[in-house]
């Protein structure tokens, strides 16, 4: 079986932007979660998780987002999820009540703006962070 | 000379052993023993001729007119002439010993007559001597002995009429000389004759033994012929049976092999009347002759009623009367089978026959053992090959997959055929088949490399022409002197869309649901490793549900001397007659199509059937592991799409069902091959889904994702029910589907399901 999901990360404006495409379910949620968590350096403002291209997410995936959000908050960072209105998983994310805990935005630039507004940089104004540039498969 | 020679043997014979004498004269019917009648005839004829010549010569010494006067000469000449004629007659006659003896008496009388005519004056004693030789020399002692007094009697006749002076001493001496010569001849000849007879009997025995030995050697040669070693196993068995039958002159012969699993003997080869019936018959250990031999490990012969009143042979039942069976032994003691022969007529087998059969059995045992070793070697090679092929075919919803790999018959060598199945997470499947030029471990290792590279490239890129192109560059770069052919085909079970690229491989064959078959055209280019640059293109086609795509290697259709087009035509004709089930189809094609039967090249086949969707229901049974969820989603998507459920409702059902299945997977006792089932029913107005597992229901902890899962199920469906049971948990989901819109308009309808396509790079 080819991988269900593919993740690519980049650094943008002092934060990590991760794009997850494909399907997230119980078979890959845990791996995806630890990869995301490990990819966010202490100095980064937070993580913008772009789920525009995610075609499926189930409660295991939702649980991952809740947990990741909690962890980053404890590290004084923030998780912002990008789910456009037309995204396939939009309804699931809404039904699961993700918005109550994890803030979500419609686009990545919007998310980055909100992130910078809400999180104080820990090490100066423009913290230098970098993310691995090769894609992950799950 | 005569006197001297006669005394010695006489004394020797008489003095030491009276028993010898008794024996000599006791034999009544040995007139012909040690002598052959033809020589006797010649001897008698010659003697008669010689006596005629001598008699004619003696006539000149004494005028034969004493008693008859003028008639003396003519009478004497007449007698001589008659003798000559008689001699010639005897020479060419068929006279027996008795008649020859009569002639000898006649010769004696004739000599006496001539002597009388000559007035006893001529030296006729020499003629008597000749006839004495013919009398005692030709005949047995018993008959010859009587001849001596006859000679003495006739020789003494001149006493009656001769005018010559006689002395008693002279006459006695004469008689004694006759007797002595006669006896000496008698004993001498008898002795020679007995020795000769003894020698002849020795010779005859030796000849018989030699003939036996030759026959045995021929038999041994027949069964030990080195040329047999090159025959395939089954042919070797039947050839050995044929030779054993010929040498032992039996009608039936059979080889039974020990089946250790079933504890019985199975007839592996048979010939003669009833062979058809006997073939692959099973004989329990201890039953009939064969079973007895297998247990006792020694040859057993049985006739008619056999052992304990049963038919002698379970193999032949009542078609046989005499049966000889020997064990097939290896390593001196292990019985691997039984060789038995039989005749429908009563017959006993000699010790030699048994030995010969045992020898054949030993030979056979070695051959069978070696054949088993060969089979093992072949098995190892085939196992190595299989380790390079997928161990099992993946489950792909909507498809039925069957694969076959049949190693070439000649061999312990590994072939270079490969196939692989690459399931994509979006439900499509990549099907690959290829053939590395060459054989052996090198070809196999290249095959393994191609397979891994193919998987890697296929994971990166789902366009067949790109996968093939990259493989070509890899091959050209790393395997300069190797060439391989390959076909890569990506099939989407949801819509029957097929994309394929072919690198010098034979074209895929499609059997439609209507039974028509055609080869896919397009997407062809040169084999991998030929050109340092690309140029591979994709061919496309859409196949209907119920169609089967067949990928195969050239071993299925190629034969030397036959054009490949004929082979392809043959395959197309065959597939139209084949069963639609892919497994059965593979078996059918393997049996029908290869031109050389099982004796040809390696054959790999991959048959993929696009299963038509049952519009009323969907039933899935999947292993209880996280990876099954994606399979479930693919199957459900395809089914919901086909029955016409709008995409957004289908999506919600998919998520809800996914949550139910996740529960099932979590409930399963790990590890193990637990399964769960999904049954979806099309109600017309909606869809009902039942997910069953076989574990224990565990209530979700508050705040856990499983609680969230239940919540999602509830919200995404119209009704949700969890029924825990002692044998497992059942989750019922139901959702209405309105043709003109959404089942639950109250839920936000803004979002559009972008499609069920998986991410494409």
């Amino acid at each position: 079986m080819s991988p269900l999901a593919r993740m690519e990360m980049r650094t943008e404006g002092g934060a990590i932007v991760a794009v997850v495409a494909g399907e997230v379910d119980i078979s890959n949620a845990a791996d995806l979660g630890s990869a995301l968590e490990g990819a966010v350096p202490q100095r980064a403002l937070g993580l913008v998780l772009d789920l525009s291209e995610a075609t499926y997410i189930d409660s295991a995936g939702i649980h991952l987002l809740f947990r990741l959000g909690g962890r980053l908050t404890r590290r004084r960072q923030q998780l912002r999820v990008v789910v456009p209105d037309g995204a396939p998983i939009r309804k699931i994310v809404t039904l699961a009540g993700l918005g109550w805990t994890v803030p979500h935005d419609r686009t990545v630039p919007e998310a980055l703006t909100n992130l910078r507004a809400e999180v104080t940089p820990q090490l100066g104004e423009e913290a230098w962070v970098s993310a691995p540039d090769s894609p992950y498969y799950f | 000379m005569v006197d001297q020679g006669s005394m010695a043997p006489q004394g020797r014979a008489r003095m030491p052993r009276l028993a010898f004498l008794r024996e000599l004269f006791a034999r009544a019917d040995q007139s012909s023993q040690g002598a052959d009648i033809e020589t006797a005839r010649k001897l008698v004829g010659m003697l008669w001729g010689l006596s005629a010549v001598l008699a004619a010569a003696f006539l000149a010494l004494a005028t034969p007119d004493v008693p008859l006067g003028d008639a003396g000469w003519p009478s004497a000449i007449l007698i001589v002439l008659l003798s000559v004629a008689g001699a010639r007659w005897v020479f060419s006659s068929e006279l027996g010993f008795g008649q020859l003896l009569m002639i000898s008496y006649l010769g004696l009388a004739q000599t006496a007559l001539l002597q009388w005519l000559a007035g006893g004056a001529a030296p006729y004693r020499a003629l008597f001597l000749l006839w004495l030789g013919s009398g005692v020399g030709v005949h047995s002692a018993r008959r010859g002995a009587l001849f001596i007094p006859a000679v003495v009697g006739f020789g003494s006749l001149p006493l009656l009429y001769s005018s010559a002076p006689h002395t008693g001493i002279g006459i006695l001496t004469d008689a004694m000389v006759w007797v002595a010569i006669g006896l000496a001849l008698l004993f001498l000849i008898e002795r020679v004759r007995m020795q000769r007879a003894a020698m002849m009997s020795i010779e005859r025995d030796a000849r018989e033994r030699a003939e036996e030995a030759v026959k045995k050697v021929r038999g041994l040669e027949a069964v030990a012929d080195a040329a047999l070693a090159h025959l395939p196993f089954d042919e070797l068995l039947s050839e050995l049976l044929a030779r054993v039958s010929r040498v032992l002159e039996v009608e039936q012969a059979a080889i039974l092999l020990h089946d250790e699993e079933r504890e019985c003997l199975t007839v592996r080869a048979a010939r003669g009347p009833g062979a058809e019936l006997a073939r692959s018959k099973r004989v329990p250990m201890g039953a009939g002759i064969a079973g007895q031999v297998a247990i006792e490990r020694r040859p057993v012969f049985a006739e008619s009623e056999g052992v304990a009143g049963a038919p002698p042979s379970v193999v032949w039942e009542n078609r046989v009367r005499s049966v000889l069976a020997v064990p097939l032994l290896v390593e001196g003691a292990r019985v691997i089978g039984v060789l038995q022969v039989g005749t429908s007529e009563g017959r006993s087998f000699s010790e030699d026959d048994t030995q010969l059969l045992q020898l054949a059995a030993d030979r056979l045992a070695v051959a069978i053992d070696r054949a088993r070793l060969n089979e093992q070697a072949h098995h190892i090679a085939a196992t190595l090959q299989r380790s390079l092929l997928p161990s099992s075919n993946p489950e792909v919803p909507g498809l039925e997959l069957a694969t076959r790999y049949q190693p070439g018959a000649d061999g312990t060598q590994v072939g270079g055929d490969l196939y692989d199945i690459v399931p994509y997470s979006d439900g499509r499947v990549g099907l690959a088949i290829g053939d590395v030029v060459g054989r052996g471990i090198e070809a196999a290792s290249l095959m393994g490399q191609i397979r891994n590279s193919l998987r890697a490239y296929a994971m990166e890129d789902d366009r067949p022409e790109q996968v093939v192109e990259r493989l070509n560059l890899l091959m050209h770069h790393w395997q300069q002197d190797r060439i391989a052919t390959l076909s890569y085909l990506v099939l989407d079970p949801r819509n029957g869309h097929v994309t394929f690229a072919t690198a010098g491989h034979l074209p895929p064959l499609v059997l439609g649901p209507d039974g028509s078959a055609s080869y896919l055209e397009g997407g062809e280019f040169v084999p991998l490793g030929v050109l340092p640059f690309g140029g591979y293109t994709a061919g496309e086609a859409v196949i209907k549900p119920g169609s089967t795509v067949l990928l195969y290697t050239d071993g299925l259709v190629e034969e030397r001397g036959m054009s490949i087009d004929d082979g392809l035509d043959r395959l197309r004709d065959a597939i139209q007659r084949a069963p639609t089930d892919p497994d059965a189809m593979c078996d059918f094609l393997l049996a029908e199509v290869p031109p050389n039967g099982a004796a040809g090249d390696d054959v790999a086949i991959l048959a993929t059937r696009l299963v038509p969707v049952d519009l009323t229901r969907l039933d899935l049974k999947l292993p209880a592991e996280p990876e099954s969820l994606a399979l479930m989603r693919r199957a459900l998507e395809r089914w919901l799409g086909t029955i016409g459920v709008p995409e957004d409702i289908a999506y919600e059902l998919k998520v809800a069902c996914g949550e139910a299945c996740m529960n099932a997977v979590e409930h399963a006792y790990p590890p193990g091959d637990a399964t769960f089932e999904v049954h979806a029913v099309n109600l017309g107005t909606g869809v009902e889904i039942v997910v069953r597992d076989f574990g224990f229901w565990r209530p979700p902890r508050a705040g856990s994702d499983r609680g969230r899962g239940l919540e999602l199920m509830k919200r995404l469906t119209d009704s949700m029910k969890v029924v825990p049971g002692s044998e497992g948990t059942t989750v019922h989901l139901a959702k209405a589907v309105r043709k003109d819109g959404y089942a639950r308009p109250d839920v936000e309808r803004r979002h559009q399901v972008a499609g069920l396509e998986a991410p494409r790079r």
Side-chain angles (χ1 to χ4, degrees):
Chain A
M1 179 79 81
S2 69
L4 284 174
R6 171 192 160 93
M7 179 179 77
E8 273 181 287
M9 282 194 272
R10 63 176 190 270
T11 316
E12 203 175 320
I16 301 294
V17 177
V19 182
V20 173
E23 301 182 302
V24 180
D25 69 7
I26 194 175
S27 69
N28 59 8
D31 291 342
L32 184 64
S34 46
L36 285 168
E37 206 173 316
V40 183
Q42 194 66 47
R43 291 180 293 180
L45 293 174
L47 174 66
V48 173
L49 186 57
D50 182 2
L51 293 177
S52 326
E53 290 179 50
T55 53
Y56 181 87
I57 194 163
D58 65 6
S59 59
I62 301 289
H63 178 67
L64 145 77
L65 297 181
F66 277 115
R67 211 181 54 171
L68 190 60
R71 296 245 169 125
L72 289 179
T73 306
R74 280 197 290 281
R75 280 160 56 172
R76 297 190 188 175
Q77 293 169 317
Q78 193 179 47
L79 169 67
R80 296 195 76 90
V81 177
V82 175
V83 187
D85 287 344
I89 63 162
R90 172 79 190 204
K91 179 171 182 181
I92 308 302
V93 170
T94 311
L95 284 179
L98 189 70
W100 296 105
T101 325
V102 180
H104 55 270
D105 308 286
R106 294 197 158 92
T107 63
V108 174
E110 187 186 322
L112 282 170
T113 310
N114 292 340
L115 185 65
R116 266 196 291 269
E118 292 180 22
V119 181
T120 316
Q122 292 172 29
L123 295 169
E125 280 295 314
E126 286 295 321
W128 181 86
V129 292
S130 73
D133 53 359
S134 59
Y136 289 71
Y137 294 93
F138 301 94
Chain B
M1 188 194 108
V2 170
D3 289 19
Q4 284 166 0
S6 67
M7 292 311 286
Q10 186 186 9
R12 241 191 4 229
R14 189 198 290 159
M15 298 282 288
R17 296 189 198 108
L18 282 172
F20 169 72
L21 274 180
R22 224 178 291 127
E23 192 188 354
L24 200 65
F25 290 97
R27 293 184 183 170
D29 297 322
Q30 301 241 337
S31 58
S32 61
Q33 171 126 30
D36 73 287
I37 182 77
E38 222 153 291
T39 317
R41 269 187 223 124
K42 278 181 192 154
L43 192 64
V44 171
M46 267 165 56
L47 286 171
W48 206 353
L50 195 59
S51 75
V53 172
L54 284 176
F58 295 160
L59 287 181
L61 297 179
T63 331
D65 51 5
V66 181
L68 292 182
D70 290 347
W73 266 102
S75 305
I77 288 167
L78 186 68
I79 291 170
V80 171
L81 289 177
L82 279 174
S83 298
V84 174
R88 287 195 58 186
W89 171 65
V90 170
F91 240 100
S92 56
S93 71
E94 299 282 314
L95 297 175
F97 278 99
Q99 285 147 317
L100 289 179
L101 191 64
M102 288 310 296
I103 285 169
S104 297
Y105 282 114
L106 202 68
L108 220 50
Q110 171 204 332
T111 308
L113 197 60
L114 282 171
Q115 196 175 24
W116 174 66
L117 282 176
Y124 284 96
R125 203 177 288 171
L127 290 183
F128 281 119
L129 202 62
L130 278 181
W131 286 117
L132 180 65
S134 119
V136 295
V138 174
H139 303 283
S140 67
R142 200 173 175 142
R143 302 171 93 183
L146 289 176
F147 208 76
I148 298 171
V151 171
V152 173
F154 278 109
S156 307
L157 282 179
L159 293 177
L160 303 177
Y161 54 81
S162 175
S163 56
H166 301 287
T167 58
I169 305 259
I171 291 164
L172 197 63
T173 315
D174 264 9
M176 278 181 66
V177 168
W178 289 126
V179 169
I181 291 173
L183 283 176
L185 268 177
L186 190 76
F187 285 115
L188 198 65
I189 287 171
E190 189 60 25
R191 202 164 173 96
V192 168
R193 196 178 281 164
M194 279 169 71
Q195 274 175 0
R196 200 173 158 217
M199 273 172 65
M200 273 173 69
S201 106
I202 289 169
E203 196 183 321
R204 194 172 51 241
D205 287 355
R207 195 165 53 232
E208 278 171 9
R209 273 203 300 277
E211 276 167 8
E212 279 292 306
V214 165
K215 195 174 147 194
K216 194 171 162 182
V217 168
R218 292 258 158 79
L220 297 187
E221 275 175 0
V223 297
D225 187 351
L228 286 175
H230 303 292
L231 291 177
F233 186 51
D234 279 318
E235 276 176 47
L236 168 71
L237 296 189
S238 65
E239 183 59 32
L240 267 176
L241 278 189
R243 290 180 183 207
V244 164
S245 309
R246 201 164 55 231
V247 174
L248 292 182
E249 291 157 355
V250 292
E251 297 152 35
Q252 290 135 320
I255 294 167
L256 298 93
L257 295 186
H258 185 207
D259 184 336
E260 282 166 20
E261 276 177 34
R262 295 199 180 84
E263 263 307 300
C264 69
L265 296 161
T266 311
V267 179
R268 177 71 188 252
R271 62 176 278 122
E276 286 305 322
L277 239 95
R279 228 155 259 158
S280 67
K281 191 176 264 186
R282 293 209 183 93
V283 180
M285 296 297 276
I289 292 234
Q292 190 188 345
V293 167
I295 284 181
E296 295 177 7
R297 295 179 193 167
R298 62 174 184 84
V300 171
F301 167 71
E303 210 167 357
S304 196
E305 290 309 305
V307 282
S313 163
V314 180
V315 178
W316 305 109
E317 289 172 4
N318 297 321
R319 291 180 202 85
V320 73
R321 274 193 65 190
S322 301
V323 178
L324 178 63
V326 294
L328 301 177
L329 296 168
V330 288
E331 295 148 17
R334 196 158 58 86
V335 177
I336 59 167
V338 172
L339 170 62
Q340 76 172 42
V341 295
T343 56
S344 59
E345 286 162 12
R347 162 177 172 180
S348 65
F349 291 92
S350 70
E351 187 60 29
D352 278 352
D353 292 341
T354 313
Q355 277 178 11
L356 182 67
L357 194 64
Q358 186 62 62
L359 188 91
D362 293 345
R363 160 89 202 199
L364 208 52
V366 171
I368 290 168
D369 222 33
R370 196 180 48 216
R372 283 188 177 173
L373 280 180
N374 277 346
E375 261 170 39
Q376 269 175 13
H378 195 125
H379 180 69
I380 290 167
T383 308
L384 174 60
Q385 169 103 53
R386 290 217 173 80
S387 75
L388 295 170
L389 298 171
S391 56
S392 64
N393 297 336
E395 279 288 328
V396 182
L399 296 182
E400 283 171 359
L401 288 161
T403 52
R404 289 289 183 283
Y405 176 75
Q406 182 176 284
D410 67 323
T412 51
Q413 276 224 307
V414 192
D417 287 6
L418 78 102
Y419 61 80
D420 206 358
I421 299 162
V422 183
Y424 288 98
S425 54
D426 62 355
R428 290 177 307 155
V429 63
L431 307 169
I433 195 143
D435 191 356
V436 176
V437 175
R439 292 177 71 81
I441 300 296
E442 209 184 331
S445 78
L446 179 58
M447 185 178 108
Q449 290 176 43
I450 291 180
R451 178 174 172 236
N452 278 344
S453 312
L454 174 85
R455 290 192 153 186
Y457 292 143
M459 207 161 105
E460 293 263 304
D461 198 321
D462 52 18
R463 289 170 297 174
E465 73 278 15
Q466 285 299 318
V467 172
V468 173
E469 179 133 359
R470 291 181 192 193
L471 272 176
N472 175 52
L473 291 177
L474 184 85
M475 276 277 289
H476 192 79
H477 193 74
W478 294 107
Q479 303 281 347
Q480 293 270 333
D481 48 349
R482 302 306 296 261
I483 287 177
T485 65
L486 183 88
S487 240
Y488 190 58
L489 183 148
V490 175
L491 169 62
D492 191 337
R494 289 169 295 189
N495 50 25
H497 193 246
V498 177
T499 346
F500 57 96
T502 299
H505 204 80
L506 296 166
L509 177 60
V510 174
L511 176 69
D514 57 348
S516 65
S518 59
Y519 288 99
L520 292 182
E521 287 174 9
E524 295 158 29
F525 202 54
V526 295
L528 302 178
V530 173
L531 295 177
F533 49 84
Y536 293 93
T537 54
E540 288 192 38
V542 175
I543 62 170
K544 297 191 183 84
S547 297
T548 303
V549 179
L550 186 81
L551 301 178
Y552 51 92
T553 56
D554 53 9
L556 187 66
V557 291
E558 259 185 16
E559 184 181 23
R560 211 165 288 159
M562 194 172 95
S563 92
I564 189 73
D565 287 336
D566 291 347
L568 291 177
D569 288 346
R570 227 177 119 105
L571 174 61
R572 190 176 47 204
D573 293 344
I575 204 172
Q576 292 176 350
R577 289 179 280 122
T580 50
D581 173 68
D583 265 307
M585 179 188 281
C586 286
D587 291 337
F588 179 84
L589 293 178
L590 274 180
E592 288 281 308
V593 183
N596 294 323
D601 197 4
D602 296 27
V603 181
I605 308 183
L606 202 170
T608 311
R609 181 163 180 258
L610 186 60
V611 185
V613 175
D614 183 346
L615 295 176
T616 60
R617 60 184 295 120
L618 171 74
D619 298 290
L620 300 172
K621 184 173 184 176
L622 296 165
E625 55 193 30
E627 286 69 28
S628 295
L629 297 187
L631 294 180
M632 180 282 298
R633 293 200 294 274
R634 300 294 90 81
L636 193 62
E637 273 165 15
R638 180 171 184 244
W639 185 72
L640 292 173
T642 312
I643 66 173
V645 174
E647 282 182 350
D648 54 345
I649 295 180
Y651 191 83
E652 289 168 16
L653 274 169
K654 187 173 80 174
V655 175
C657 186
E659 295 298 334
C661 293
M662 203 197 312
N663 274 325
V665 170
E666 287 182 330
H667 293 161
Y669 278 112
D673 39 2
T675 57
F676 68 95
E677 291 173 2
V678 178
H679 304 282
V681 182
N682 182 0
L683 301 171
T685 56
V687 174
E688 189 184 283
I689 297 176
V690 177
V691 177
R692 289 198 56 190
D693 67 53
F694 304 97
F696 288 110
W697 171 254
R698 278 166 247 165
R701 281 167 298 159
S704 80
D705 54 331
R706 225 145 46 78
R708 202 171 286 121
L710 283 174
E711 191 61 28
L712 266 181
M713 276 194 275
K714 231 176 261 172
R715 290 192 177 207
L716 288 169
T717 56
D718 297 338
S719 80
M720 192 277 280
K721 198 165 55 173
V722 177
V723 186
S726 60
E727 290 181 7
T729 307
T730 310
V731 178
H732 297 263
L733 302 169
K735 192 171 175 73
V737 179
R738 283 215 323 258
K739 281 191 176 172
D740 54 339
Y742 303 110
R744 292 178 58 189
D746 52 305
V747 179
E748 65 175 284
R749 48 167 85 181
R750 277 173 302 149
H751 81 267
Q752 293 295 310
V753 175
L756 303 176
E757 304 286 317
R760 286 204 180 198
R761 261 177 47 92

